[in-house]
Amino acid sequence: MQETELANVPNFLKLLETKSQNLSRQHRRIANFLLYNHLEAAFLNVAELAKRAGVSSATVVRFATAMGFNGYPALQKELQQIAQGSIGKHEFLAVEASGNEDSLSGTITQSMRALKTFSEELDIERFEKAAKLLQKARKIITVGHKASFGVAVHAAYVIGKVHKDVRYFQGSDEFDAFSVINDLTKDDVALVYAVIHYPKSTLKLIRLLAKRGVKIILISDYRTFEEVELASVSLLIPLLFQGFLDIMSPMLALTDALAYELYKLDESSARKRLKEFNEFNEQDGAFLQICRFAE
């Protein structure tokens, strides 16, 4: 099958993604636009690109120089070369199923490749910092929409086994949004998942939570949208595709790892919490088969 793999983008786009965190606000707007619209940008003149990115033409020229080009024409040539090699190969919707591989095998293969890529790009220091923030949190809310919805719900479930106050929070229009957001403080942590097209609901919540002083752990496939600056910790996850599906196995693995790291950071408290979890479910008759964790 043809591959759509964000981890294997052209070198110039990787450079943009790496440098964007240290660019000025105006230059970062250009970098973000180029990252997600590089095919279109390849055929825009300076004025058109400036308008689309929301900056001045002079800023575009200065950006090109800052990226190591002699001027905008040289930058545009680079984009056009990327476009020639990318069309039908690396774009989000350019994934075609192969008749030589069944759906199950193909999906498993992509999941394994995604996990392998993730294992090669681990940032243990950031991971440990995120786990410690969660361990010290008074309350934890998990946030995720669209492709990230299921992972955010899973996070609330598994982390809730070892932390006393965890819940999934969907958005500011929920019926109990006021009681949730109004009660959050700087002692609380939001575990936020945002991948692929970056839902506006997620970005809105990041801004809202940041205003409350809530610490934010952001798990994403890129670090180039403006809200990343509001995160206390951001963890990068490779995103691969199988047909129209987003392969989320690395994100699930990271989530489970965070839950287990919480357990190891304060094992006595975690064991007590797990015992309460077991007793509650046994009294409720929640499971057909009793399975007592870590007792």
Side-chain angles (χ1 to χ4, degrees):
M1 70 182 298
Q2 291 182 335
E3 296 177 1
T4 299
E5 184 174 351
L6 297 188
N8 291 338
V9 296
N11 289 334
F12 176 61
L13 299 185
K14 287 184 178 180
L15 177 66
L16 287 180
E17 204 265 331
T18 301
K19 282 193 170 184
S20 63
Q21 300 174 67
N22 299 316
L23 295 175
S24 67
R25 185 179 181 86
Q26 294 290 80
H27 282 190
R28 191 164 57 249
R29 295 186 71 170
I30 301 172
N32 289 345
F33 178 80
L34 293 180
L35 277 167
Y36 300 108
N37 303 275
H38 51 277
L39 292 184
E40 178 187 357
F43 306 98
L44 298 177
N45 61 36
V46 172
E48 291 169 335
L49 175 57
K51 182 177 180 181
R52 292 299 308 277
V55 299
S56 68
S57 296
T59 300
V60 172
V61 174
R62 288 194 292 270
F63 172 82
T65 302
M67 290 295 106
F69 296 96
N70 293 330
Y72 180 71
L75 170 58
Q76 187 180 45
K77 183 178 180 179
E78 176 74 18
L79 292 172
Q80 289 174 351
Q81 290 176 345
I82 291 172
Q84 290 174 1
S86 295
I87 294 176
K89 185 176 180 181
H90 288 290
E91 297 312 301
F92 292 157
L93 301 180
V95 184
E96 298 177 1
S98 168
N100 299 323
E101 189 173 38
D102 64 86
S103 299
L104 179 58
S105 297
T107 303
I108 291 173
T109 298
Q110 285 295 78
S111 293
M112 291 173 65
R113 291 184 66 238
L115 287 168
K116 183 177 184 298
T117 300
F118 179 38
S119 69
E120 294 170 349
E121 299 178 357
L122 291 174
D123 190 328
I124 298 300
E125 184 177 344
R126 285 176 179 266
F127 170 80
E128 292 177 346
K129 182 178 179 181
K132 288 176 182 177
L133 283 178
L134 291 171
Q135 190 260 329
K136 294 177 181 178
R138 182 183 67 110
K139 294 182 178 182
I140 298 172
I141 64 169
T142 68
V143 175
H145 302 93
K146 305 296 184 182
S148 304
F149 167 76
V151 184
V153 173
H154 175 74
Y157 176 69
V158 294
I159 295 175
K161 290 182 179 182
V162 292
H163 190 284
K164 65 180 180 179
D165 196 342
V166 185
R167 63 166 289 181
Y168 169 72
F169 183 56
Q170 187 166 4
S172 56
D173 57 347
E174 283 192 72
F175 75 93
D176 60 344
F178 169 75
S179 61
V180 174
I181 295 176
N182 192 61
D183 291 342
L184 294 175
T185 72
K186 61 181 177 62
D187 296 320
D188 303 321
V189 172
L191 183 58
V192 181
Y193 298 85
V195 296
I196 195 67
H197 298 300
Y198 314 108
K200 292 181 179 179
S201 298
T202 304
L203 304 184
K204 176 183 177 182
L205 270 178
I206 290 174
R207 295 190 296 270
L208 188 60
L209 293 168
K211 287 182 179 179
R212 299 290 305 179
V214 177
K215 297 179 182 65
I216 295 170
I217 299 171
L218 178 64
I219 300 177
S220 179
D221 57 323
Y222 271 119
R223 296 191 183 119
T224 52
F225 47 92
E226 293 182 0
E227 286 75 10
V228 171
E229 297 179 357
L230 301 176
S232 299
V233 184
S234 58
L235 299 171
L236 188 65
I237 296 293
L239 185 64
L240 274 69
F241 302 88
Q242 167 74 0
F244 60 88
L245 301 175
D246 311 315
I247 300 297
M248 307 297 282
S249 48
M251 193 162 284
L252 286 166
L254 175 60
T255 299
D256 290 343
L258 285 170
Y260 195 57
E261 187 69 10
L262 283 182
Y263 172 82
K264 293 196 296 182
L265 284 171
D266 189 351
E267 191 169 334
S268 60
S269 295
R271 281 182 173 273
K272 180 176 182 295
R273 176 71 176 175
L274 284 170
K275 183 178 180 181
E276 294 171 351
F277 174 84
N278 295 334
E279 291 174 348
F280 175 84
N281 284 299
E282 288 174 17
Q283 292 171 6
D284 187 51
F287 300 119
L288 178 64
Q289 178 175 304
I290 295 174
C291 181
R292 297 186 176 184
F293 304 98
E295 287 189 13

